[in-house]
Structures are given as C-alpha cells and as structure tokens.
Amino acid sequence: MEPRESGNNGNNANYTAAKQLPKIKSLLKKYRHVKTMQSSLLQLSELASKIIDMQAFYPALEAVIKTLFNADSFFIVLVNQQQKLSLAYDHNDQERKILQRLSHQNWLESLSGLVFSNQQPLQCNAKQRQNLVQSGELVLHGSVCEDWLGIPLNRGNKTIGVLALQHYSKQQSFNDRDCELLQFIGDHLITAIDRVHSRELLEESIQQRTHKLQQANKKLQQEILDRQKAEKLQKTLLAISEVTASSDDLSEFYQQLHQQLNQLINANNCYIALWSDDKINLEFPFYLDEKITPIKCRPYNNGLTELVLDIAKPLLIQHDTVFTLQANNNVATQPLNSNYHRKNMPVPKAYLAAPLIIAGKIKGVLAVQDYSNNNAYQQGDLELLRFISQHIASAIERKAEQVNRQHSNDELEKLITERTQALQASNLNLRMQIEERRKAEAQLYHDAHHDALTKLPNRAMLMDRLSYALRHLKRHPNHKSALLFIDLDRFKIINDTLGHHAGDLFLVEIAQRLKSCIRDNDILARLGGDEFVILLDALQNQDDIEEIATRITIEVEKPFDLGGNTVYSSASIGIANCHNQYQNSDEILRDADAAMYQAKGLGRGRYVFFDSSMREQLLASMTLEQELRIAIKQQQFELHYQSILDLSKTTTIGFEALLRWQHPKKGLLTPSQFLTMAEETGMILEIENWVIKQVCLQLQDWKNDTLYSNTFISVNLSGRHLNQVHQLADLMSLITQNTQEPERLILEFDELAFCQQPEQSLKSLRKLKTSGVKLALDDYGAGMSSMNFLHDYPFEFIKLDRSFIRSLNSSDKNLALIKALSSLGEKFGYRLVAEGIESEAMLAKVQAAGCEFGQGYFINHPKKIIKAYSEKNVISCA
C-alpha cells in the first residue's frame, strides 16, 4: 500500500508543477516587463538629472528608446509658446526635414493630430492609415511607414504633445506591450523634459546674471574713475569761477585762468583770439606758445582759428582728422581741409579749441595745442573745453559791461542836461496840445451825437433831448409837444438799383427837405437807415402837428434828381403826443413807431396819430408770437388732408396737406390766423419742417395700404427755402432723411417766393427737383401770373387759384385762358389743377376747359384722419 501511495504522490506533484508552469512564466514575463520599465524610468531620471541642455537630452533619450523598442524611428511633437504644434525632435534626419515644414494645421490633419485631439494612444498600420485617408480623417504629409504607434504627452490634465514610434518594414509591428511601455515612458517623459528645460533656463539665467554682474562691476569701476575725475574737474572749475568773479584786470584773469586750465589738460601752448570791432582782424589778448612769438593782432586768414570760427563748435584735430562736438554731445568726424594750414607756421600734432560765445554770437576762440604728442588731447576734453570757454566768455562780457556802464553813465549825464532843456521847450508845446485836445474832444462829442452823413442829431442826442422834454412836461403839465416817427418808402429800391452813393444823396436831400418843414426850436434826428424822428416843441394845438405832417408828406412826394435819375418817394409818419403817462423816452418812441407802421399798413404817404388800440394790437401780436413759439415747442399743430381728384376718371390721385393750429384756448386756427406772424419772425421754417416730417410719416403708413400706396401728398412751402443756399440744403437733407419715395411728395410755392431773388429762386428750384420731389406753382391767377412760370420754371403742376376758378361763375372769359393753359401744358410739361371747386356747375366748367385735376369743398372737405377716406368720400362726376 505504501508504494502505491508514494507513486500517487509523485504523480500529483508533477501534475501540480506542470499546472503552475504557465503561471510562473507569466509572472516571470511581467517581472521582466516591470524590470524593463523600472530600468527605463531610472535611465530617464538619470538623463533628467545630469543633462542641462535640451539639445543634448533628446539624443540621449534616443538611446533609451532604442533599448526598449525595436522601432525604426521616433519623434516628439510639442505645443510651442504660440500654442501650436511643432516638431521638437526627430532622430531620422531625412524625415526631420519633412516634418519641420509642417504647420500647426498640417499636424492636426496627421496621425499625431488624432492622438493630440483625442488624447488617446493610437496604433495604426498602413492599411488602417489608408482607410483614414479615404474617410477624410487624415491627410498624408511626408514619409509613409508600415506601422505607427503614438501616445499623448500630458502635463496634468492637459495634452501638450505627442510621442510617436514608426516601423518601415512590413515584418515588424507594434503590440499592446509596446503601447503600454510607451505610455509609461510618456507619463514620465514630460516631467523629465520639464526638469531639463528648467535646468536649462536656470543655467541660462545664471549666465545672464553673471554677465550683468560683470557689466555692473565694469560700470562701477568706470563710475569711480569718472567720479574722481569729476571731483578734480569740480575743484578746478570752482577755482575758475572764483577767478572769474574776483579778477578786475582782464590780463591777470587770463594768467590765472591758464594756471587752472593747465591742471586739467596740457595747456603749455594756449591762446585766446577775439574779433576786432570792425570784424576784419583777430586780436589775441592772451598768447603763450613755445614755437611762435606772441602776437597781438592779425588779419582774418586761413588758419586753425578760422576753422573753429567757421564750424562754430568745439573741435579736436588729430592725424589730420577733425572731431567736432555736436549739440547732443555726440562727436562727428571729417578730414582736415588743407586750406586751413597757414604757410610758414609750425603744425601742431594735436589741437583742441572751442568758440567763445557771448549773447548767442561768436566773439572769439580758446585754443590749446601740442607739437610733439598726437594723443595729448582726447575726445572727452571737448566738453571740458566748451565749459571753460563759457566762463571765459562770461568774463569778457562782464568786463565789456563795466566799460559800457561807465560810458553809459557819461552819456546819461549828458542826456539829462539835454532833456532838461527839451522839457522846457516841450512844456510850451504841451499847453498847445491841451488846447488842441479840447477842440478834438468837442469834435468827438459832436460826432458821437450827430449822424455822419446828414449831420443831424443821432439817436443818442434825440433820446437825451426827449428825456429832458418829458421831465419838463412833468413840471409844466400844460406844455405841449409831440414826436413824429418818419419812415421813407422805396428807399431800399433806390439803394439797390442806383447804388449806395445815390442812396446817400437821397438821404441828404431828405434831411434838407425835413429841415425846411419844421421850426427852429424843433429837433430833427436820424435814427439810422431811412428812419427820421422830429420832436415838436411848444405847440399851441394839434392843428400845428397836422400842418407840419402834411407839409412833410408833400415835400417828400416831390421828385428827386439823383445823378440824372428821377426817383419818387413818400413818407409814412407815426405821431405820438407827449403826456405825463410816459415814464421814459423809449415808451414814446415805441408808440410813435407803432403809429408809423399803422400808417404804412393804411397805404403809405400819410400820417397816423397813436392811440391805445395800437398798443393793444402790438400786445396781441407779441402774445401771438409767444404762443406760436410755445405751439412749435409743444407741437400743437395738426394736418388735415383734402383729396385731389382726377377729373376724367373721378378717382383720388393724392391729397393736399393743410396746416391747422389746435390752440389750447382759441380752438382750431387756420393758417390765415398765424402764418403771417410765422413768416415775419422766421418761425415758418420750423413749422414747415415739422409738416414735411409728418407728411413723410403718412406716406410711410400708406406704403402697405393698397388704396393709397401710389397716391401723393402736396405741401405748401415758404419762399425762404429758396432764397438761402443753406436753407435749401437743410430742406433737401430733411426730405432725404425722412422718406425713400420723394416722388410721392409735391412741394408747392406761390409767385411771391420768386419776387425778391428770381435768379437764386429758380436755381434753387432746379436743384430741389434733383432730390426726386415734384414741384407745383400754387395760386396761379391770383397775382402777376407771369408766363415765365410756365416754360422757364420746372413745375409739373400749375394750381389755378380759387378766386380765378370762382370767377367762372360770373364770366366765361377765363374759360378760354384755362383752355390755352391746358394746351400749353402739353408743350411745356405741366398739368393743371383747379382749386376751390365748390359746385357741380363749377366742376363741369373746369372739366370742359381741360383741367385734369381738381380739389374743393364740392369734391371733399379736409379731414384730419386720413385712414377714414375711401372712394365713397369722393363725389362721383360720372
């Protein structure tokens, strides 16, 4: 039994050993793999700790890679400072030349880009790579390998590059173990690269710091030398300053200055040259030279002194080269001109000189020279000599001032004697001047209170006399006086047609005629322009005033002969009686002015006495102006629209926008109640600009309305828009900004718009038409009705005035005129619009006469809400 048992035990042991053998081999394989990774990590760590240069690290890394992998090549791609992929290393020289040319986009399109973007390892053979190319996920750049393995290089959670291996032989390929091992190497490679790179940066920083310390030490040594030199220079310059301040004898000063200068530079040969007063010769107040006999004066010639004067800057001459100190302390060089070598004169080996400048002008030269040593002076001595030359120039200037001061004192004493004698003579002359001044002041007073043209008292003198008259009236209530305010008619026409000279002659003649109409105790004054005022004093009754006023109107209406031209005028006179209720002269002048405007309104060539109702009218006018300004600010206006009918088709083709003022107290006002005030004050432009904007908004609302999408709106405008270039430009700009369909906008102007400046108005009208709007002549037949408007002006519509249309009820004479206008319209390109059609009979007449369009109460009443219009609101003319 025992042997059997022993045999069984042996068999079991062999079976157990055979069963465990694969496991042992697997463990051995894993052990070898771990040992390999540990060995690689150790090698990588040694590289990172020993190598301090990235250029040496990558080739050493290549040896580690070759011991771990049977790969034909490997390369590393990293993100650079611009956050773009670029080749860091490739051990294959031929492949490196290809990969170095790849851009960031090229890398992203490669296998490395797939690894970088997906942040996952990738093993790819030639067939798989070709499939990726065909699917568009990959673009081939450079060499083609048979098998490729790449892993992402991560710093923390961020991928910063790719490590890739390649096989070029079909018999070789990468497996999972290679991928795992490569990932292990990659996990530690970035740490090693960072360590080497940090050590490289540290080494570079140390070298830079060492270089900076060496430079700083060198600079410090130079500063010590410069400081020692500066201290010596400062001590010498202080001594020179003391010599400059204390020396009274200029010759002694030069000797002491030379001693101090000799302590700084070699000044054994030294001289000072100065211009003579006549600027012809050079004088030498100090001259010390070992080879040349001292000279006192010589003519200006070709020499080194003349060279300094010509260049006007400190200079150094060595080896026939001139070094010049510029204003910015830089040194410029130039060859020495041989013309500056004086004949029969020894030539120095080194020459240093600076100009002496006094009050911005060159007065001379300070120079030192050496006959044996070419390097006796350096370029740094140029600035030193310039400073010393400034002190010498100061001393020369100070000495010259002392001489001039003494000379000035002598001159002053002489001048005092002469001035004392002159004062005695001028005292007599002064008395004569005072008398002349009194006469001049009297003339100035007269000129200040009289009109320069007519020699009559002016406004200032009139107001003074009028104030005196009112004060006198308060003391003497029974005293009667009156003020006449005279305005001349047609003066502007005379001035504009015959010229200002004729206008002046006219005013002078008027002044003479007015003088002949008044008494000696009355005052005639000219306020300005064609306005004259007469203060009548000591009146007996009102008949005296009327007599004088009548006399004035008769005199003024007589013909005037102005340089061969006979002209006529008339006078509108406003009269205000002086009474105790007036507080000042302005009030009575205001009332006389108001009465004068009343006389103008009644037909000119007459006189009117002021009464309280005129003041009420003025106040009402002022109130209306104020309310109108508020209305503009608060936009109290509204537009009512009246249809314009095509008389042949009985359809609405457009509307006329009619302005209304919704007055907060007076209710709805028509333009006749406020537009005159708007015209006079200039507010009409603001109102019409508002109208243009509202009409443009209405046209915009109609754009999507099938009923009114093609209709137009006409607007009445003032002629002010045509008289000024900038106002026309504003109007065109306003239209351009507020509508994209200017052809649906019709601008109407009446004949008055072209009366004052017809040429400018026509030019403006043609320019306005270029903006795309249509133009219409309004109220034709109510005024001059010139035929020029029909063919010279670019009107597309002629609107016949309602008064002209109304006359058809009583007379058929104008029917022929309308027919003629209609025929001319076909030739001149305009169309007739009849205004004020108020009956069926009137409608029939204008249709028969050839009017194409019409409007009026019979057709349609103006309404505020334009959307309420429809074809039912328009009367049928069938």
Side-chain angles (χ1 to χ4, degrees), residues 415-444:
L415 182 61
I416 290 174
T417 303
E418 293 176 352
R419 288 296 300 273
T420 302
Q421 296 173 354
L423 283 174
Q424 294 174 351
S426 63
N427 189 30
L428 178 61
N429 186 40
L430 183 59
R431 293 193 187 98
M432 297 174 63
Q433 290 179 3
I434 291 173
E435 185 62 28
E436 292 293 332
R437 182 170 181 175
R438 286 175 182 170
K439 294 179 181 179
E441 288 176 350
Q443 184 64 41
L444 287 175

mmCIF file of all heavy atoms in Angstrom, residues 415-444:
data_model
loop_
_atom_site.group_PDB
_atom_site.id
_atom_site.type_symbol
_atom_site.label_atom_id
_atom_site.label_comp_id
_atom_site.label_asym_id
_atom_site.label_seq_id
_atom_site.Cartn_x
_atom_site.Cartn_y
_atom_site.Cartn_z
ATOM 1 N N LEU A 415 22.780 163.306 -21.327
ATOM 2 C CA LEU A 415 21.381 163.224 -21.749
ATOM 3 C C LEU A 415 20.459 163.996 -20.809
ATOM 4 O O LEU A 415 19.503 164.643 -21.239
ATOM 5 C CB LEU A 415 20.951 161.751 -21.815
ATOM 6 C CG LEU A 415 19.517 161.477 -22.281
ATOM 7 C CD1 LEU A 415 19.308 162.009 -23.691
ATOM 8 C CD2 LEU A 415 19.219 159.985 -22.217
ATOM 9 N N ILE A 416 20.763 163.933 -19.480
ATOM 10 C CA ILE A 416 19.933 164.658 -18.502
ATOM 11 C C ILE A 416 19.959 166.156 -18.795
ATOM 12 O O ILE A 416 18.938 166.846 -18.740
ATOM 13 C CB ILE A 416 20.418 164.348 -17.079
ATOM 14 C CG1 ILE A 416 20.085 162.895 -16.719
ATOM 15 C CG2 ILE A 416 19.782 165.304 -16.072
ATOM 16 C CD1 ILE A 416 20.649 162.455 -15.390
ATOM 17 N N THR A 417 21.143 166.645 -19.093
ATOM 18 C CA THR A 417 21.252 168.076 -19.402
ATOM 19 C C THR A 417 20.424 168.431 -20.642
ATOM 20 O O THR A 417 19.700 169.435 -20.666
ATOM 21 C CB THR A 417 22.739 168.447 -19.625
ATOM 22 O OG1 THR A 417 23.492 168.098 -18.463
ATOM 23 C CG2 THR A 417 22.885 169.922 -19.904
ATOM 24 N N GLU A 418 20.543 167.559 -21.653
ATOM 25 C CA GLU A 418 19.801 167.831 -22.879
ATOM 26 C C GLU A 418 18.297 167.710 -22.654
ATOM 27 O O GLU A 418 17.521 168.522 -23.164
ATOM 28 C CB GLU A 418 20.253 166.862 -23.966
ATOM 29 C CG GLU A 418 21.690 167.069 -24.415
ATOM 30 C CD GLU A 418 22.120 166.023 -25.423
ATOM 31 O OE1 GLU A 418 21.331 165.062 -25.635
ATOM 32 O OE2 GLU A 418 23.233 166.134 -25.984
ATOM 33 N N ARG A 419 17.867 166.721 -21.825
ATOM 34 C CA ARG A 419 16.443 166.520 -21.610
ATOM 35 C C ARG A 419 15.837 167.654 -20.795
ATOM 36 O O ARG A 419 14.677 168.017 -20.986
ATOM 37 C CB ARG A 419 16.204 165.184 -20.895
ATOM 38 C CG ARG A 419 16.438 163.967 -21.757
ATOM 39 C CD ARG A 419 15.436 163.933 -22.909
ATOM 40 N NE ARG A 419 14.055 163.891 -22.456
ATOM 41 C CZ ARG A 419 13.402 162.767 -22.166
ATOM 42 N NH1 ARG A 419 14.023 161.601 -22.300
ATOM 43 N NH2 ARG A 419 12.152 162.818 -21.768
ATOM 44 N N THR A 420 16.644 168.218 -19.873
ATOM 45 C CA THR A 420 16.128 169.351 -19.086
ATOM 46 C C THR A 420 15.798 170.520 -19.997
ATOM 47 O O THR A 420 14.758 171.176 -19.854
ATOM 48 C CB THR A 420 17.164 169.763 -18.038
ATOM 49 O OG1 THR A 420 17.452 168.641 -17.200
ATOM 50 C CG2 THR A 420 16.642 170.908 -17.189
ATOM 51 N N GLN A 421 16.664 170.732 -20.950
ATOM 52 C CA GLN A 421 16.411 171.820 -21.901
ATOM 53 C C GLN A 421 15.202 171.483 -22.795
ATOM 54 O O GLN A 421 14.388 172.360 -23.107
ATOM 55 C CB GLN A 421 17.653 172.058 -22.756
ATOM 56 C CG GLN A 421 18.867 172.528 -21.962
ATOM 57 C CD GLN A 421 20.130 172.587 -22.808
ATOM 58 O OE1 GLN A 421 20.130 172.165 -23.965
ATOM 59 N NE2 GLN A 421 21.218 173.117 -22.223
ATOM 60 N N ALA A 422 15.103 170.183 -23.146
ATOM 61 C CA ALA A 422 13.999 169.791 -24.022
ATOM 62 C C ALA A 422 12.666 169.865 -23.301
ATOM 63 O O ALA A 422 11.633 170.196 -23.902
ATOM 64 C CB ALA A 422 14.234 168.371 -24.552
ATOM 65 N N LEU A 423 12.678 169.581 -21.958
ATOM 66 C CA LEU A 423 11.430 169.638 -21.195
ATOM 67 C C LEU A 423 10.863 171.050 -21.136
ATOM 68 O O LEU A 423 9.640 171.237 -21.172
ATOM 69 C CB LEU A 423 11.652 169.101 -19.783
ATOM 70 C CG LEU A 423 11.734 167.574 -19.651
ATOM 71 C CD1 LEU A 423 12.114 167.184 -18.225
ATOM 72 C CD2 LEU A 423 10.410 166.927 -20.038
ATOM 73 N N GLN A 424 11.741 171.988 -21.049
ATOM 74 C CA GLN A 424 11.283 173.370 -21.022
ATOM 75 C C GLN A 424 10.587 173.744 -22.328
ATOM 76 O O GLN A 424 9.572 174.452 -22.332
ATOM 77 C CB GLN A 424 12.467 174.297 -20.756
ATOM 78 C CG GLN A 424 13.085 174.122 -19.381
ATOM 79 C CD GLN A 424 14.346 174.941 -19.191
ATOM 80 O OE1 GLN A 424 14.867 175.530 -20.153
ATOM 81 N NE2 GLN A 424 14.849 175.007 -17.946
ATOM 82 N N ALA A 425 11.156 173.217 -23.426
ATOM 83 C CA ALA A 425 10.541 173.505 -24.723
ATOM 84 C C ALA A 425 9.240 172.721 -24.907
ATOM 85 O O ALA A 425 8.254 173.236 -25.455
ATOM 86 C CB ALA A 425 11.523 173.167 -25.846
ATOM 87 N N SER A 426 9.238 171.449 -24.385
ATOM 88 C CA SER A 426 8.033 170.626 -24.559
ATOM 89 C C SER A 426 6.901 171.095 -23.669
ATOM 90 O O SER A 426 5.732 170.823 -23.955
ATOM 91 C CB SER A 426 8.360 169.158 -24.270
ATOM 92 O OG SER A 426 8.762 168.996 -22.924
ATOM 93 N N ASN A 427 7.222 171.788 -22.550
ATOM 94 C CA ASN A 427 6.169 172.290 -21.667
ATOM 95 C C ASN A 427 5.271 173.270 -22.418
ATOM 96 O O ASN A 427 4.047 173.252 -22.298
ATOM 97 C CB ASN A 427 6.801 172.950 -20.452
ATOM 98 C CG ASN A 427 5.772 173.296 -19.395
ATOM 99 O OD1 ASN A 427 4.757 172.616 -19.278
ATOM 100 N ND2 ASN A 427 6.028 174.344 -18.634
ATOM 101 N N LEU A 428 5.915 174.113 -23.203
ATOM 102 C CA LEU A 428 5.155 175.063 -24.009
ATOM 103 C C LEU A 428 4.332 174.333 -25.068
ATOM 104 O O LEU A 428 3.168 174.660 -25.314
ATOM 105 C CB LEU A 428 6.124 176.061 -24.675
ATOM 106 C CG LEU A 428 5.482 177.108 -25.596
ATOM 107 C CD1 LEU A 428 4.505 177.993 -24.809
ATOM 108 C CD2 LEU A 428 6.571 177.957 -26.240
ATOM 109 N N ASN A 429 4.952 173.310 -25.656
ATOM 110 C CA ASN A 429 4.242 172.522 -26.677
ATOM 111 C C ASN A 429 3.054 171.781 -26.071
ATOM 112 O O ASN A 429 2.013 171.615 -26.708
ATOM 113 C CB ASN A 429 5.220 171.537 -27.327
ATOM 114 C CG ASN A 429 4.594 170.800 -28.486
ATOM 115 O OD1 ASN A 429 3.854 171.380 -29.270
ATOM 116 N ND2 ASN A 429 4.900 169.525 -28.593
ATOM 117 N N LEU A 430 3.197 171.342 -24.803
ATOM 118 C CA LEU A 430 2.131 170.622 -24.136
ATOM 119 C C LEU A 430 0.892 171.499 -23.955
ATOM 120 O O LEU A 430 -0.238 171.031 -24.121
ATOM 121 C CB LEU A 430 2.621 170.109 -22.772
ATOM 122 C CG LEU A 430 1.626 169.272 -21.965
ATOM 123 C CD1 LEU A 430 1.206 168.032 -22.766
ATOM 124 C CD2 LEU A 430 2.233 168.870 -20.637
ATOM 125 N N ARG A 431 1.113 172.763 -23.599
ATOM 126 C CA ARG A 431 -0.029 173.660 -23.446
ATOM 127 C C ARG A 431 -0.805 173.771 -24.768
ATOM 128 O O ARG A 431 -2.044 173.806 -24.777
ATOM 129 C CB ARG A 431 0.452 175.040 -23.015
ATOM 130 C CG ARG A 431 1.059 175.086 -21.619
ATOM 131 C CD ARG A 431 1.222 176.519 -21.151
ATOM 132 N NE ARG A 431 1.946 176.592 -19.896
ATOM 133 C CZ ARG A 431 3.239 176.854 -19.770
ATOM 134 N NH1 ARG A 431 3.949 177.070 -20.884
ATOM 135 N NH2 ARG A 431 3.818 176.901 -18.602
ATOM 136 N N MET A 432 -0.048 173.826 -25.845
ATOM 137 C CA MET A 432 -0.690 173.913 -27.155
ATOM 138 C C MET A 432 -1.470 172.619 -27.469
ATOM 139 O O MET A 432 -2.581 172.659 -28.009
ATOM 140 C CB MET A 432 0.356 174.170 -28.243
ATOM 141 C CG MET A 432 1.100 175.501 -28.077
ATOM 142 S SD MET A 432 2.449 175.679 -29.266
ATOM 143 C CE MET A 432 1.542 175.672 -30.789
ATOM 144 N N GLN A 433 -0.906 171.463 -27.067
ATOM 145 C CA GLN A 433 -1.574 170.185 -27.306
ATOM 146 C C GLN A 433 -2.864 170.058 -26.498
ATOM 147 O O GLN A 433 -3.860 169.478 -26.955
ATOM 148 C CB GLN A 433 -0.635 169.017 -26.961
ATOM 149 C CG GLN A 433 0.525 168.867 -27.928
ATOM 150 C CD GLN A 433 1.443 167.716 -27.538
ATOM 151 O OE1 GLN A 433 1.184 167.002 -26.576
ATOM 152 N NE2 GLN A 433 2.535 167.568 -28.288
ATOM 153 N N ILE A 434 -2.843 170.608 -25.253
ATOM 154 C CA ILE A 434 -4.048 170.557 -24.419
ATOM 155 C C ILE A 434 -5.186 171.323 -25.092
ATOM 156 O O ILE A 434 -6.341 170.885 -25.099
ATOM 157 C CB ILE A 434 -3.748 171.123 -23.017
ATOM 158 C CG1 ILE A 434 -2.811 170.178 -22.263
ATOM 159 C CG2 ILE A 434 -5.034 171.344 -22.228
ATOM 160 C CD1 ILE A 434 -2.329 170.728 -20.933
ATOM 161 N N GLU A 435 -4.840 172.461 -25.658
ATOM 162 C CA GLU A 435 -5.854 173.238 -26.343
ATOM 163 C C GLU A 435 -6.395 172.486 -27.566
ATOM 164 O O GLU A 435 -7.617 172.472 -27.832
ATOM 165 C CB GLU A 435 -5.252 174.578 -26.788
ATOM 166 C CG GLU A 435 -6.246 175.543 -27.429
ATOM 167 C CD GLU A 435 -7.354 175.948 -26.476
ATOM 168 O OE1 GLU A 435 -7.121 175.944 -25.240
ATOM 169 O OE2 GLU A 435 -8.457 176.249 -26.961
ATOM 170 N N GLU A 436 -5.476 171.821 -28.303
ATOM 171 C CA GLU A 436 -5.914 171.035 -29.452
ATOM 172 C C GLU A 436 -6.788 169.868 -29.008
ATOM 173 O O GLU A 436 -7.769 169.501 -29.667
ATOM 174 C CB GLU A 436 -4.693 170.497 -30.218
ATOM 175 C CG GLU A 436 -3.877 171.562 -30.926
ATOM 176 C CD GLU A 436 -4.670 172.187 -32.068
ATOM 177 O OE1 GLU A 436 -5.553 171.500 -32.641
ATOM 178 O OE2 GLU A 436 -4.417 173.363 -32.374
ATOM 179 N N ARG A 437 -6.460 169.294 -27.857
ATOM 180 C CA ARG A 437 -7.245 168.159 -27.350
ATOM 181 C C ARG A 437 -8.650 168.603 -26.968
ATOM 182 O O ARG A 437 -9.622 167.870 -27.186
ATOM 183 C CB ARG A 437 -6.548 167.542 -26.142
ATOM 184 C CG ARG A 437 -7.280 166.328 -25.588
ATOM 185 C CD ARG A 437 -6.471 165.601 -24.573
ATOM 186 N NE ARG A 437 -7.173 164.425 -24.075
ATOM 187 C CZ ARG A 437 -6.658 163.542 -23.233
ATOM 188 N NH1 ARG A 437 -5.412 163.726 -22.769
ATOM 189 N NH2 ARG A 437 -7.370 162.511 -22.832
ATOM 190 N N ARG A 438 -8.762 169.798 -26.392
ATOM 191 C CA ARG A 438 -10.089 170.302 -26.045
ATOM 192 C C ARG A 438 -10.944 170.434 -27.310
ATOM 193 O O ARG A 438 -12.119 170.082 -27.311
ATOM 194 C CB ARG A 438 -9.960 171.671 -25.362
ATOM 195 C CG ARG A 438 -9.443 171.576 -23.919
ATOM 196 C CD ARG A 438 -9.224 172.964 -23.366
ATOM 197 N NE ARG A 438 -8.673 172.899 -22.002
ATOM 198 C CZ ARG A 438 -8.205 173.934 -21.324
ATOM 199 N NH1 ARG A 438 -8.186 175.131 -21.900
ATOM 200 N NH2 ARG A 438 -7.749 173.778 -20.095
ATOM 201 N N LYS A 439 -10.310 170.931 -28.362
ATOM 202 C CA LYS A 439 -11.055 171.045 -29.622
ATOM 203 C C LYS A 439 -11.429 169.661 -30.163
ATOM 204 O O LYS A 439 -12.542 169.466 -30.668
ATOM 205 C CB LYS A 439 -10.207 171.785 -30.658
ATOM 206 C CG LYS A 439 -9.931 173.241 -30.302
ATOM 207 C CD LYS A 439 -9.069 173.884 -31.375
ATOM 208 C CE LYS A 439 -8.766 175.363 -31.016
ATOM 209 N NZ LYS A 439 -7.913 175.994 -32.043
ATOM 210 N N ALA A 440 -10.499 168.696 -30.039
ATOM 211 C CA ALA A 440 -10.774 167.345 -30.529
ATOM 212 C C ALA A 440 -11.896 166.683 -29.738
ATOM 213 O O ALA A 440 -12.753 165.988 -30.297
ATOM 214 C CB ALA A 440 -9.505 166.492 -30.453
ATOM 215 N N GLU A 441 -11.902 166.895 -28.403
ATOM 216 C CA GLU A 441 -12.962 166.329 -27.577
ATOM 217 C C GLU A 441 -14.315 166.920 -27.945
ATOM 218 O O GLU A 441 -15.329 166.204 -27.979
ATOM 219 C CB GLU A 441 -12.661 166.571 -26.104
ATOM 220 C CG GLU A 441 -11.516 165.725 -25.565
ATOM 221 C CD GLU A 441 -11.192 166.066 -24.112
ATOM 222 O OE1 GLU A 441 -11.729 167.083 -23.618
ATOM 223 O OE2 GLU A 441 -10.416 165.318 -23.499
ATOM 224 N N ALA A 442 -14.318 168.234 -28.217
ATOM 225 C CA ALA A 442 -15.571 168.861 -28.638
ATOM 226 C C ALA A 442 -16.049 168.261 -29.964
ATOM 227 O O ALA A 442 -17.251 168.009 -30.154
ATOM 228 C CB ALA A 442 -15.379 170.366 -28.767
ATOM 229 N N GLN A 443 -15.101 168.004 -30.873
ATOM 230 C CA GLN A 443 -15.460 167.392 -32.149
ATOM 231 C C GLN A 443 -15.949 165.960 -31.956
ATOM 232 O O GLN A 443 -16.923 165.523 -32.591
ATOM 233 C CB GLN A 443 -14.256 167.412 -33.103
ATOM 234 C CG GLN A 443 -14.543 166.882 -34.505
ATOM 235 C CD GLN A 443 -15.565 167.749 -35.223
ATOM 236 O OE1 GLN A 443 -15.535 168.974 -35.134
ATOM 237 N NE2 GLN A 443 -16.500 167.105 -35.925
ATOM 238 N N LEU A 444 -15.288 165.237 -31.051
ATOM 239 C CA LEU A 444 -15.717 163.870 -30.761
ATOM 240 C C LEU A 444 -17.117 163.835 -30.171
ATOM 241 O O LEU A 444 -17.925 162.963 -30.505
ATOM 242 C CB LEU A 444 -14.718 163.201 -29.796
ATOM 243 C CG LEU A 444 -13.369 162.800 -30.386
ATOM 244 C CD1 LEU A 444 -12.447 162.278 -29.289
ATOM 245 C CD2 LEU A 444 -13.548 161.735 -31.463
#
